[in-house]
């Protein structure tokens, strides 16, 4: 979990604009859907990624409203995550495809997860994906997306997880808190100490405002998810065991989906 959290946190720094598109649970799922539809269209929606098709997919799959889906598409085009295809338009709207930069970012996301799985059993998943990724990505992305959409625990995670992941860039804060657990210190009762002692520092490392970070901290603190070991701002931040377990369960379920998708693709 520490390896995965640290990797996910560092990845967003590679392209802040692109990463921001995936920085909430809703946008994350919708982005996976858009990429899956690009590779293998959903049966009830016209082929190709466009403003229109994403506007249909969001409500159809119960992820987002049509307007929210439109907004994501427009921002993805604006920041170069999607680019116009040299193909005839559908319904008057030009088709789009993921940019090379976006494909490189999603490939890195997969590699990080396969590396985490390999840490568990000494496997070679990340090596296989690195060497065959160009052919594997179109095969596994639709399978992974279907797995994510079909898992209730991933679509509606725990209360503490939701505090962070359903607001802009809150997931980055959560990843940093988990990555910062100090495993060399003996755990307190139902708590884990972190290496973080300042909300300002936490905000700066996540490239977020202190006000936004403070609001998320206060929400999680109000239900016992985290707190200070001593005087606020003058001591170390702790996170609760429940917070850690919600995060770990979410990641574990996601890793299982990715593992099964890769295994199936390699066996075909």
């Amino acid at each position: 979990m520490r390896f995965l959290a640290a990797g996910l946190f560092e990845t967003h720094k590679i392209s802040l604009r692109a990463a921001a598109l995936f920085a909430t649970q809703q946008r994350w799922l919708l982005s996976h859907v858009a990429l899956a539809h690009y590779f293998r269209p959903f049966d009830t929606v016209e082929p190709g990624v466009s403003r229109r098709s994403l506007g249909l997919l969001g409500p159809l799959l119960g992820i987002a409203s049509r307007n929210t889906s439109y907004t994501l598409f427009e921002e993805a085009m604006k920041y170069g995550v999607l680019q116009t295809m040299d193909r005839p338009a559908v319904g008057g709207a030009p088709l789009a495809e993921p940019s090379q930069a976006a494909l490189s970012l999603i490939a890195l996301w997969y590699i990080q997860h396969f590396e985490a799985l390999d840490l568990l059993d000494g496997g070679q998943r990340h090596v296989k994906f690195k060497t065959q990724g160009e052919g594997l990505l179109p095969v596994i992305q639709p399978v992974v997306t279907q797995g994510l959409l079909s898992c209730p625990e991933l679509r509606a995670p725990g209360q503490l997880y939701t505090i962070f992941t359903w607001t802009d860039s809150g997931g980055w804060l959560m990843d940093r808190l988990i990555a910062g657990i100090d495993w060399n210190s003996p755990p307190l009762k139902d708590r884990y100490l972190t290496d973080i002692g300042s909300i300002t520092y936490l905000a700066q490392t996540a490239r977020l405002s202190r006000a936004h970070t403070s609001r998320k901290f206060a929400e999680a603190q109000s239900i016992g998810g985290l707190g200070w070991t001593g005087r606020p701002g003058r001591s170390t931040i702790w996170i609760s065991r429940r917070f850690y377990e919600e995060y770990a369960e979410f990641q574990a379920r996601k890793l299982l989906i990715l593992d099964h998708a890769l295994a199936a693709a390699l066996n075909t």
Side-chain angles (χ1 to χ4, degrees), residues 33-57:
V33 164
L35 187 58
H37 188 67
Y38 170 73
F39 289 127
R40 187 193 302 166
F42 286 78
D43 292 339
T44 56
V45 177
E46 62 202 26
V49 177
S50 66
R51 186 177 184 272
R52 172 182 163 80
S53 66
L54 199 58
L56 292 171
L57 284 166

Side-chain angles (χ1 to χ4, degrees), residues 25 148 150-158 161 246 249-250 253:
Q25 178 82 350
L148 298 176
S150 300
C151 182
E153 293 83 1
L154 294 185
R155 295 195 61 155
Y161 194 100
E246 283 187 14
E249 180 179 355
F250 187 95
R253 291 183 183 278

Side-chain angles (χ1 to χ4, degrees), residues 8 11 43 47 49 64 75 90 116 122 132 134 142 159 162 167 171 186 195 213-214 225 227-228 247 254 262:
L8 293 172
T11 297
D43 292 339
V49 177
E75 290 181 5
V90 173
Q132 305 176 50
E134 188 173 339
Q159 184 180 16
T162 300
T167 57
D195 61 359
T213 304
S214 295
W228 300 96
Y247 184 92
K254 180 175 56 170
L262 181 64

Side-chain angles (χ1 to χ4, degrees), residues 92-216:
L95 292 176
E97 63 183 352
S99 65
Q100 189 55 53
L103 290 174
S104 296
L105 199 62
I106 190 67
L108 178 57
W109 183 84
Y110 273 108
I111 289 168
Q112 288 174 334
H113 287 79
F114 292 141
E115 285 179 329
L117 282 163
D118 290 340
L119 286 175
L120 297 175
D121 62 8
Q124 294 295 307
R125 300 170 186 81
H126 76 285
V127 175
K128 294 174 182 177
F129 187 83
K130 281 182 178 180
T131 57
Q132 305 176 50
E134 188 173 339
L136 286 173
L137 182 58
V139 177
I140 69 173
Q141 177 63 28
V143 178
V144 167
T145 300
Q146 189 57 53
L148 298 176
L149 295 175
S150 300
C151 182
E153 293 83 1
L154 294 185
R155 295 195 61 155
Q159 184 180 16
L160 284 161
Y161 194 100
T162 300
I163 283 176
F164 288 92
T165 198
W166 277 97
T167 57
D168 289 345
S169 306
W172 299 342
L173 297 174
M174 182 167 52
D175 289 334
R176 179 62 184 89
L177 287 165
I178 298 297
I181 291 176
D182 183 1
W183 295 105
N184 294 319
S185 297
L188 304 174
K189 182 180 180 181
D190 294 328
R191 297 177 180 179
Y192 294 101
L193 298 178
T194 74
D195 61 359
I196 303 168
S198 164
I199 290 181
T200 299
Y201 167 78
L202 181 61
Q204 289 174 343
T205 57
R207 313 266 180 103
L208 300 172
S209 72
R210 191 185 189 286
H212 177 75
T213 304
S214 295
R215 283 195 297 272
K216 294 298 99 189

